[in-house]
Amino acid sequence: NVHIQISDTLNLFGDSLNYDGNTRIAKIWSNVRLIDNETTLTSDTLSYDRTTEVANYLYWGKIVNDKNVLVSKHGYYHTQTKDFYFQNKVILINPDYVMHSDTMMYNTVSRITYFYGPSTIKGKEDSIYCENGWYNTLTDVSRFRKNGWIYHLDQVLTADSMYYERTNGYGQAFMHAMLIDTVQKMTLTGNYGEIRRKKGFAFMTDSAVIQLRDKKDTLFMHSDTIYATFDTNQNIKNVRCFYKVKFFRHDLQGVCDSMSYHGIDSTMYLYHNPVMWSAKNQLTSDSIKLTMLNSQIDSMVLYNSAFIISKDDTNKYNQGKGRDMVGFFKNNELFKIK
């Protein structure tokens, strides 16, 4: 029944105590409890330094603070700043998620968790990995500064630095940002991006690129800004690229002012005087529609002032012009024009 009343709010309990008056260090063991307002620390052994006002345990401790339960092998508690420092096999259990970390700091007043090593946060629909950052357990707002990854259903978001509001699905990504859709086999990259899951869209800008992967090749598209909208399963449904669009794959290249891609029927629309190159063919028109089938180009339609030019074996050029043109592809190569 050992009891040390350190202050009006801070009390230390245990079965046995050894106190050194010269060092002002109290060592207490067996059924140890440190209670500070709404925070309770339990451990088998605990040391408390009255000079620094720091308590520490060296072999497993458990902290209960409101809805959060923290367990670690080593820990330090600064009673003045209300900061817990944890090391080695740190676990934070919340009704909505579970955190695992190598090194962590937790403030019992602000309820903010700081990560200083490899850490994971696993919830029902999403999970997070980072190596440096913080997470507010009250507001579910977080910031990740090193090697942050956010996994939500079939999507992955990563960047050098990220800000994320877990409750409403709003996030910002800074520098080397990347949004991956594993179902649609699409990847958006850029140096700044935002995602708004409840509103169903995301965008990338500053060196924005989208990659559409198929069985044999990848179509790369670049523009000033790329917008993506999601379906009810949070998979990318439509993509829109605005201003100075360029796209490339080994058998198809082109430029235009803006472009849209519709995932339902796998069609691409190129707007404002697009130019396309397919093998030896150059095609231009007011706008162009491309249809994909089984991850390959199936056909295309050129609307208004369609024009095609191709170089033949005699170093001369075949040219064809019409109001509308329809082109057909085999193995991603243009073989017939109507």
Side-chain angles (χ1 to χ4, degrees), residues 59-329:
Y59 192 76
W60 295 110
K62 178 182 177 182
I63 295 91
V64 179
N65 178 238
D66 193 23
K67 296 180 180 179
N68 298 319
V69 178
L70 296 97
V71 179
S72 71
K73 192 171 184 180
H74 306 302
Y76 297 85
Y77 180 50
H78 293 247
T79 59
Q80 287 297 311
T81 60
K82 311 300 181 184
D83 290 327
F84 272 101
Y85 291 87
F86 306 100
Q87 288 181 325
N88 202 338
K89 300 179 181 179
V90 186
I91 304 173
L92 186 151
I93 302 172
N94 184 281
D96 298 324
Y97 49 82
V98 177
M99 295 184 186
H100 293 263
S101 181
D102 176 71
T103 306
M104 179 192 295
M105 187 187 85
Y106 176 77
N107 186 278
T108 59
V109 178
S110 66
R111 314 284 170 87
I112 297 178
T113 302
Y114 299 87
F115 307 107
Y116 301 103
S119 307
T120 59
I121 306 170
K122 294 185 178 180
K124 295 179 181 179
E125 293 186 347
D126 51 15
S127 60
I128 298 169
Y129 173 85
C130 78
E131 294 176 4
N132 186 282
W134 55 264
Y135 188 97
N136 190 322
T137 61
L138 283 177
T139 62
D140 287 326
V141 174
S142 53
R143 184 70 182 260
F144 309 112
R145 298 184 181 90
K146 183 180 178 182
N147 202 17
W149 295 77
I150 300 174
Y151 302 85
H152 182 83
L153 299 177
D154 299 310
Q155 285 185 359
V156 181
L157 178 65
T158 182
D160 288 354
S161 175
M162 290 189 291
Y163 170 84
Y164 186 59
E165 298 176 5
R166 184 173 171 271
T167 303
N168 55 26
Y170 171 74
Q172 293 176 301
F174 305 88
M175 300 304 297
H176 303 104
M178 182 165 55
L179 176 64
I180 305 170
D181 191 315
T182 57
V183 173
Q184 299 296 337
K185 296 181 180 179
M186 294 184 187
T187 302
L188 277 73
T189 60
N191 284 322
Y192 177 76
E194 286 189 16
I195 187 167
R196 300 174 183 263
R197 298 195 191 281
K198 287 196 172 181
K199 293 185 177 180
F201 83 93
F203 76 86
M204 286 284 182
T205 187
D206 190 1
S207 306
V209 176
I210 181 170
Q211 303 173 30
L212 278 70
R213 299 182 298 276
D214 60 26
K215 297 177 181 177
K216 296 182 179 180
D217 202 358
T218 300
L219 177 64
F220 295 86
M221 293 182 289
H222 163 76
S223 68
D224 288 349
T225 306
I226 298 175
Y227 287 87
T229 57
F230 308 141
D231 59 18
T232 54
N233 296 320
Q234 293 296 311
N235 296 317
I236 295 178
K237 179 175 62 175
N238 299 317
V239 174
R240 293 177 176 85
C241 304
F242 291 97
Y243 312 124
K244 301 178 183 178
V245 179
K246 300 176 182 178
F247 56 93
F248 173 86
R249 58 184 284 168
H250 79 280
D251 48 18
L252 184 70
Q253 304 85 40
V255 296
C256 61
D257 179 72
S258 55
M259 188 216 70
S260 64
Y261 172 80
H262 302 271
I264 297 177
D265 53 2
S266 299
T267 56
M268 292 172 53
Y269 293 88
L270 314 179
Y271 302 103
H272 301 296
N273 303 315
V275 181
M276 282 180 48
W277 295 271
S278 175
K280 297 180 180 180
N281 305 302
Q282 176 177 298
L283 304 99
T284 61
S285 183
D286 286 353
S287 60
I288 298 175
K289 173 185 174 183
L290 285 171
T291 302
M292 313 289 286
L293 182 64
N294 297 325
S295 299
Q296 292 187 334
I297 302 173
D298 179 66
S299 63
M300 68 176 178
V301 182
L302 287 74
Y303 299 99
N304 300 322
S305 30
F307 181 74
I308 180 171
I309 181 171
S310 60
K311 192 174 183 179
D312 61 20
D313 296 334
T314 63
N315 286 330
K316 294 184 178 179
Y317 293 90
N318 297 317
Q319 302 176 61
K321 188 178 187 305
R323 187 178 66 181
D324 298 327
M325 287 186 183
V326 181
F328 300 91
F329 289 77

